[in-house]
Amino acid sequence: MMASGHAALRAVSKIGAAASLLALAACGTAPVQTGTNDPQEQVNRERHEFNKRFDTALVKPVSQGYGRVVPGPVRTGVNNFADNLDLPGDALNGVFQGRPVAALENTARFVVNSTIGILGIFDPASSMGLRGKPTDFGETLYTWGVGEGQYVEHPFFGPSTERDTYGAIVDYATNPVRLLIPSPERSIGTVAEGGSKLGDRYDYSDTIDSVLYESADSYAQTRLLYLQNRRHALGGGGEASGDDFIDPYADAGDAAPADFIDPYEDSNAQ
Amino acid sequence: MPSDISFAAPLNRRAFGGILLAGGMALALPRASHAQSADAARQLVTSAVGEVNRIIASGQSESAMLGAFERVFANYADVPTIARSTLGVAARQASQAQLAAYTQAYQGYVSRKYGRRFREFAGGQIEVTSVQPLKSYFEVVSTAYLRNKNPADVRWHVSQKGGQPKFFNIIIEGVNMLASERTEVQAILDQNRGNIDALTQALSRA
């Protein structure tokens, strides 16, 4: 009895999952989420503290060494090289997203920079107007109507959402460059990727330090920055989304965080 | 009730025409002032950016610069409204005197916090691309060109509620500064056990 009950439940949940997938596929681009969905906040905060310690002990000092020792033009070359290796994946995602123009632009950029730009070290494509459309599988999932899911902060990798986490895993597994280039040469790409990340940590050092080390709640700031910036990128950065507008002239009571209850507050007292 | 529909239709059509006429007049009247307000909003952003650039180029000492940034912030932003908004519900429990003291401290705190990072903005240009109405306000859309950085989408939310146009929010690449400030102030308020005077003290020191 119990077993068949479970089987029935499983069948129901499978049908439910299939139905919800169908519903997802039918509704096209997911609405850009507003607010914060972070039920795992406690775990995320612990990982955030870990990431901060990791940054203090290793990433920040190494990035400063890298920034000071390696001349600017060389760092730009490393960034260009790493960015160029992302382009085939970007083009593939453009196809998945039904954005042929973006896919073509990324392909053309890859061809130009890999040849005239000497394996992508230089970026002549940008001056030809081919600035590229960076994207990822997380965005593909968004265009397929998959919801954002929970906010997650991963150890080492930092802030993300459930959708972007699956996206990153798929991007890694299906990266055409990683699949096509034999293993010893492939590691050059990995090294360049690491260099590019260190370069970013160095270039944006003031901004990152102010968020991580100077704000009163670096976890909440990081979460806000990540979610709003990511949603802006997904929305194409065009129209103002719901998240973009706050009316400070409206009643300040609207600003009350959902988890705040004031037992002394009385609506008649206003 | 199908008979109701056939009876009501001519009436509705006349009423509709009347509403349309009234609506058209209502729309036509504020047109001119609407365009003026949009220009004023654009002008506000252009002048604020111009002043900041002049201060950076002046080569004065950092503390003098921070004082000058604070004056620009006080002139161009609706500081009392921004400050009140960052307090959230705490604003309602605060006395007038507490609110005034907090607003003053907050104005200095913001000017120092962002003013200290003026080097990132040195030589920066902001190009206003459009102005559009947003609820009862204006959104000035601009692109920021900073040295060694990709062009950034910067939106200014401008209100004319006090007569003069003032901005009350800046959205940088989707990041809402008022939301970010609110998060920060709430965290400092929490650290001070919700005591608004202690918060004011903390901001004055920061």
Side-chain angles (χ1 to χ4, degrees), chain B residues 8-24:
Chain B
L11 231 167
N12 274 349
R13 210 173 295 138
R14 208 177 310 139
F16 182 67
I19 291 164
L20 209 67
L21 195 70

Side-chain angles (χ1 to χ4, degrees), chain B:
Chain B
M1 293 189 196
S3 60
D4 277 355
I5 292 170
S6 61
F7 174 74
L11 231 167
N12 274 349
R13 210 173 295 138
R14 208 177 310 139
F16 182 67
I19 291 164
L20 209 67
L21 195 70
M25 280 167 66
L27 276 175
L29 281 173
R31 255 303 129 76
S33 69
H34 195 267
Q36 272 171 6
S37 312
D39 278 348
R42 173 194 291 261
Q43 190 55 42
L44 174 87
V45 171
T46 322
S47 327
V49 172
E51 286 213 26
V52 167
N53 270 331
R54 265 197 299 282
I55 295 166
I56 295 172
S58 70
Q60 50 193 323
S61 72
E62 182 162 333
S63 64
M65 271 195 207
L66 294 182
F69 288 141
E70 183 170 345
R71 284 189 291 280
V72 172
F73 183 51
N75 283 340
Y76 290 89
D78 189 349
V79 181
T81 302
I82 295 171
R84 190 187 166 86
S85 169
T86 57
L87 277 180
V89 280
R92 284 203 254 165
Q93 285 128 16
S95 70
Q96 282 303 105
Q98 281 177 315
L99 210 53
Y102 168 74
T103 303
Q104 193 61 37
Y106 180 75
Q107 177 179 306
Y109 157 81
V110 165
S111 309
R112 291 190 297 275
K113 181 164 79 171
Y114 296 102
R116 277 193 207 105
R117 290 169 57 188
F118 69 92
R119 285 176 196 86
E120 292 169 59
F121 192 73
Q125 289 299 325
I126 289 198
E127 191 184 294
V128 174
T129 47
S130 67
V131 182
Q132 58 205 31
L134 178 66
K135 319 266 179 188
S136 54
Y137 312 101
F138 282 102
E139 182 174 59
V140 179
V141 185
S142 66
T143 308
Y145 299 92
L146 302 188
R147 275 183 319 177
N148 309 323
K149 304 263 158 74
N150 289 327
D153 177 278
V154 181
R155 284 150 196 264
W156 311 68
H157 291 176
V158 177
S159 155
Q160 329 241 10
K161 291 231 159 134
Q164 244 187 329
K166 302 236 173 180
F167 71 83
F168 60 88
N169 202 353
I170 306 179
I171 320 286
I172 304 166
E173 285 288 314
V175 177
N176 191 313
M177 293 314 288
L178 197 49
S180 168
E181 281 298 304
R182 229 180 229 184
T183 304
E184 184 66 4
V185 168
Q186 293 301 317
I188 304 173
L189 191 60
D190 283 349
Q191 286 172 356
N192 290 285
R193 296 169 209 284
N195 184 330
I196 187 167
D197 297 319
L199 167 73
T200 302
Q201 287 296 312
L203 293 195
S204 310
R205 286 191 304 266

Side-chain angles (χ1 to χ4, degrees), chain A residues 77-114:
Chain A
V78 170
N79 278 357
N80 288 343
F81 183 78
D83 287 349
N84 193 51
L85 292 182
D86 287 339
L87 286 170
D90 289 351
L92 199 62
N93 275 308
V95 172
F96 290 152
Q97 292 162 13
R99 293 169 173 161
V101 179
L104 282 173
E105 180 174 335
N106 285 327
T107 308
R109 187 174 157 81
F110 180 69
V111 170
V112 169
N113 281 353
S114 302

Side-chain angles (χ1 to χ4, degrees), chain A residues 83 86-91 93-94 97 99 102-103 105-106 109 126 130-140 171 230 233-234 236, chain B residues 150:
Chain A
D83 287 349
D86 287 339
L87 286 170
D90 289 351
N93 275 308
Q97 292 162 13
R99 293 169 173 161
E105 180 174 335
N106 285 327
R109 187 174 157 81
S126 282
L130 297 167
R131 302 195 130 266
K133 298 266 188 292
T135 183
D136 49 62
F137 197 71
E139 182 164 13
T140 301
D171 276 328
R230 179 66 178 162
L234 292 180
Chain B
N150 289 327

Side-chain angles (χ1 to χ4, degrees), chain A residues 3 14 55 118 126 242:
Chain A
K14 260 186 197 155
D55 180 76
I118 312 173
S126 282

